[in-house]
mmCIF file of all heavy atoms in Angstrom:
data_model
loop_
_atom_site.group_PDB
_atom_site.id
_atom_site.type_symbol
_atom_site.label_atom_id
_atom_site.label_comp_id
_atom_site.label_asym_id
_atom_site.label_seq_id
_atom_site.Cartn_x
_atom_site.Cartn_y
_atom_site.Cartn_z
ATOM 1 N N THR A 5 -8.911 56.560 -32.531
ATOM 2 C CA THR A 5 -8.529 56.247 -33.901
ATOM 3 C C THR A 5 -8.151 57.547 -34.577
ATOM 4 O O THR A 5 -8.540 58.626 -34.134
ATOM 5 C CB THR A 5 -9.689 55.596 -34.684
ATOM 6 O OG1 THR A 5 -10.822 56.473 -34.634
ATOM 7 C CG2 THR A 5 -10.087 54.267 -34.070
ATOM 8 N N SER A 6 -7.379 57.443 -35.641
ATOM 9 C CA SER A 6 -6.999 58.655 -36.355
ATOM 10 C C SER A 6 -8.150 59.119 -37.217
ATOM 11 O O SER A 6 -8.686 58.353 -38.009
ATOM 12 C CB SER A 6 -5.768 58.385 -37.229
ATOM 13 O OG SER A 6 -6.025 57.349 -38.149
ATOM 14 N N ARG A 7 -8.557 60.367 -37.065
ATOM 15 C CA ARG A 7 -9.660 60.931 -37.831
ATOM 16 C C ARG A 7 -9.252 62.302 -38.335
ATOM 17 O O ARG A 7 -8.523 63.027 -37.657
ATOM 18 C CB ARG A 7 -10.918 61.061 -36.962
ATOM 19 C CG ARG A 7 -11.391 59.734 -36.382
ATOM 20 C CD ARG A 7 -12.708 59.929 -35.652
ATOM 21 N NE ARG A 7 -12.594 60.837 -34.536
ATOM 22 C CZ ARG A 7 -12.184 60.482 -33.335
ATOM 23 N NH1 ARG A 7 -11.820 59.245 -33.098
ATOM 24 N NH2 ARG A 7 -12.119 61.355 -32.349
ATOM 25 N N PRO A 8 -9.742 62.678 -39.509
ATOM 26 C CA PRO A 8 -9.395 64.002 -40.015
ATOM 27 C C PRO A 8 -9.957 65.085 -39.112
ATOM 28 O O PRO A 8 -11.066 64.959 -38.587
ATOM 29 C CB PRO A 8 -10.054 64.033 -41.411
ATOM 30 C CG PRO A 8 -11.120 62.984 -41.357
ATOM 31 C CD PRO A 8 -10.606 61.933 -40.429
ATOM 32 N N ARG A 9 -9.196 66.157 -38.924
ATOM 33 C CA ARG A 9 -9.634 67.244 -38.065
ATOM 34 C C ARG A 9 -10.598 68.162 -38.804
ATOM 35 O O ARG A 9 -10.396 68.519 -39.950
ATOM 36 C CB ARG A 9 -8.420 68.049 -37.586
ATOM 37 C CG ARG A 9 -7.502 67.256 -36.663
ATOM 38 C CD ARG A 9 -6.359 68.125 -36.170
ATOM 39 N NE ARG A 9 -5.520 67.388 -35.255
ATOM 40 C CZ ARG A 9 -4.439 67.912 -34.683
ATOM 41 N NH1 ARG A 9 -4.086 69.163 -34.937
ATOM 42 N NH2 ARG A 9 -3.711 67.175 -33.861
ATOM 43 N N ARG A 10 -11.656 68.553 -38.130
ATOM 44 C CA ARG A 10 -12.599 69.499 -38.698
ATOM 45 C C ARG A 10 -12.698 70.697 -37.772
ATOM 46 O O ARG A 10 -12.411 70.607 -36.590
ATOM 47 C CB ARG A 10 -13.984 68.848 -38.869
ATOM 48 C CG ARG A 10 -13.985 67.616 -39.779
ATOM 49 C CD ARG A 10 -15.404 67.107 -39.961
ATOM 50 N NE ARG A 10 -15.482 66.001 -40.895
ATOM 51 C CZ ARG A 10 -15.461 64.733 -40.544
ATOM 52 N NH1 ARG A 10 -15.349 64.408 -39.270
ATOM 53 N NH2 ARG A 10 -15.546 63.776 -41.446
ATOM 54 N N ARG A 11 -13.158 71.799 -38.304
ATOM 55 C CA ARG A 11 -13.230 73.017 -37.519
ATOM 56 C C ARG A 11 -14.651 73.549 -37.503
ATOM 57 O O ARG A 11 -15.473 73.234 -38.361
ATOM 58 C CB ARG A 11 -12.276 74.076 -38.089
ATOM 59 C CG ARG A 11 -10.805 73.658 -38.049
ATOM 60 C CD ARG A 11 -9.921 74.728 -38.661
ATOM 61 N NE ARG A 11 -8.509 74.340 -38.612
ATOM 62 C CZ ARG A 11 -7.529 75.072 -39.104
ATOM 63 N NH1 ARG A 11 -7.789 76.241 -39.694
ATOM 64 N NH2 ARG A 11 -6.277 74.660 -39.010
ATOM 65 N N GLY A 12 -14.927 74.402 -36.521
ATOM 66 C CA GLY A 12 -16.211 75.071 -36.445
ATOM 67 C C GLY A 12 -17.305 74.208 -35.867
ATOM 68 O O GLY A 12 -17.052 73.153 -35.269
ATOM 69 N N PRO A 13 -18.572 74.633 -36.045
ATOM 70 C CA PRO A 13 -19.729 73.918 -35.470
ATOM 71 C C PRO A 13 -19.805 72.462 -35.903
ATOM 72 O O PRO A 13 -20.196 71.598 -35.127
ATOM 73 C CB PRO A 13 -20.921 74.732 -35.989
ATOM 74 C CG PRO A 13 -20.367 76.083 -36.277
ATOM 75 C CD PRO A 13 -18.958 75.851 -36.748
ATOM 76 N N TYR A 14 -19.442 72.201 -37.172
ATOM 77 C CA TYR A 14 -19.514 70.821 -37.635
ATOM 78 C C TYR A 14 -18.561 69.923 -36.859
ATOM 79 O O TYR A 14 -18.877 68.789 -36.539
ATOM 80 C CB TYR A 14 -19.190 70.740 -39.127
ATOM 81 C CG TYR A 14 -19.296 69.340 -39.676
ATOM 82 C CD1 TYR A 14 -20.532 68.797 -40.002
ATOM 83 C CD2 TYR A 14 -18.163 68.538 -39.834
ATOM 84 C CE1 TYR A 14 -20.646 67.508 -40.488
ATOM 85 C CE2 TYR A 14 -18.262 67.247 -40.322
ATOM 86 C CZ TYR A 14 -19.504 66.742 -40.640
ATOM 87 O OH TYR A 14 -19.614 65.457 -41.111
ATOM 88 N N ALA A 15 -17.378 70.457 -36.551
ATOM 89 C CA ALA A 15 -16.402 69.689 -35.780
ATOM 90 C C ALA A 15 -16.941 69.358 -34.402
ATOM 91 O O ALA A 15 -16.781 68.241 -33.910
ATOM 92 C CB ALA A 15 -15.094 70.471 -35.668
ATOM 93 N N LYS A 16 -17.584 70.314 -33.767
ATOM 94 C CA LYS A 16 -18.153 70.077 -32.440
ATOM 95 C C LYS A 16 -19.267 69.043 -32.503
ATOM 96 O O LYS A 16 -19.380 68.175 -31.640
ATOM 97 C CB LYS A 16 -18.676 71.387 -31.851
ATOM 98 C CG LYS A 16 -17.583 72.397 -31.528
ATOM 99 C CD LYS A 16 -18.171 73.659 -30.926
ATOM 100 C CE LYS A 16 -17.065 74.663 -30.596
ATOM 101 N NZ LYS A 16 -17.632 75.926 -30.022
ATOM 102 N N SER A 17 -20.096 69.130 -33.540
ATOM 103 C CA SER A 17 -21.185 68.176 -33.697
ATOM 104 C C SER A 17 -20.650 66.768 -33.936
ATOM 105 O O SER A 17 -21.136 65.794 -33.347
ATOM 106 C CB SER A 17 -22.072 68.604 -34.871
ATOM 107 O OG SER A 17 -23.102 67.679 -35.092
ATOM 108 N N ALA A 18 -19.628 66.653 -34.797
ATOM 109 C CA ALA A 18 -19.039 65.345 -35.081
ATOM 110 C C ALA A 18 -18.369 64.768 -33.844
ATOM 111 O O ALA A 18 -18.455 63.563 -33.578
ATOM 112 C CB ALA A 18 -18.032 65.469 -36.226
ATOM 113 N N ALA A 19 -17.705 65.629 -33.070
ATOM 114 C CA ALA A 19 -17.030 65.172 -31.855
ATOM 115 C C ALA A 19 -18.045 64.687 -30.824
ATOM 116 O O ALA A 19 -17.828 63.679 -30.142
ATOM 117 C CB ALA A 19 -16.181 66.292 -31.267
ATOM 118 N N ARG A 20 -19.163 65.398 -30.693
ATOM 119 C CA ARG A 20 -20.205 64.988 -29.741
ATOM 120 C C ARG A 20 -20.818 63.663 -30.159
ATOM 121 O O ARG A 20 -21.048 62.779 -29.321
ATOM 122 C CB ARG A 20 -21.282 66.063 -29.655
ATOM 123 C CG ARG A 20 -22.460 65.680 -28.758
ATOM 124 C CD ARG A 20 -22.043 65.523 -27.314
ATOM 125 N NE ARG A 20 -21.844 66.815 -26.691
ATOM 126 C CZ ARG A 20 -21.374 66.983 -25.467
ATOM 127 N NH1 ARG A 20 -21.012 65.930 -24.742
ATOM 128 N NH2 ARG A 20 -21.223 68.197 -24.955
ATOM 129 N N ARG A 21 -21.091 63.508 -31.441
ATOM 130 C CA ARG A 21 -21.661 62.252 -31.933
ATOM 131 C C ARG A 21 -20.696 61.097 -31.667
ATOM 132 O O ARG A 21 -21.103 60.031 -31.226
ATOM 133 C CB ARG A 21 -21.954 62.374 -33.428
ATOM 134 C CG ARG A 21 -22.523 61.106 -34.055
ATOM 135 C CD ARG A 21 -22.724 61.263 -35.552
ATOM 136 N NE ARG A 21 -23.086 59.998 -36.160
ATOM 137 C CZ ARG A 21 -24.324 59.557 -36.290
ATOM 138 N NH1 ARG A 21 -25.336 60.298 -35.865
ATOM 139 N NH2 ARG A 21 -24.572 58.378 -36.853
ATOM 140 N N ARG A 22 -19.417 61.350 -31.925
ATOM 141 C CA ARG A 22 -18.413 60.317 -31.684
ATOM 142 C C ARG A 22 -18.365 59.941 -30.206
ATOM 143 O O ARG A 22 -18.251 58.763 -29.857
ATOM 144 C CB ARG A 22 -17.040 60.838 -32.144
ATOM 145 C CG ARG A 22 -15.898 59.847 -31.952
ATOM 146 C CD ARG A 22 -15.978 58.728 -32.945
ATOM 147 N NE ARG A 22 -14.821 57.835 -32.861
ATOM 148 C CZ ARG A 22 -14.425 57.055 -33.852
ATOM 149 N NH1 ARG A 22 -15.070 57.032 -34.991
ATOM 150 N NH2 ARG A 22 -13.373 56.272 -33.699
#
Side-chain angles (χ1 to χ4, degrees):
T5 56
S6 58
R7 301 186 298 276
R9 293 183 178 179
R10 301 184 176 95
R11 298 178 179 178
Y14 182 80
K16 293 181 180 179
S17 177
R20 176 65 76 186
R21 179 183 172 89
R22 180 73 175 202

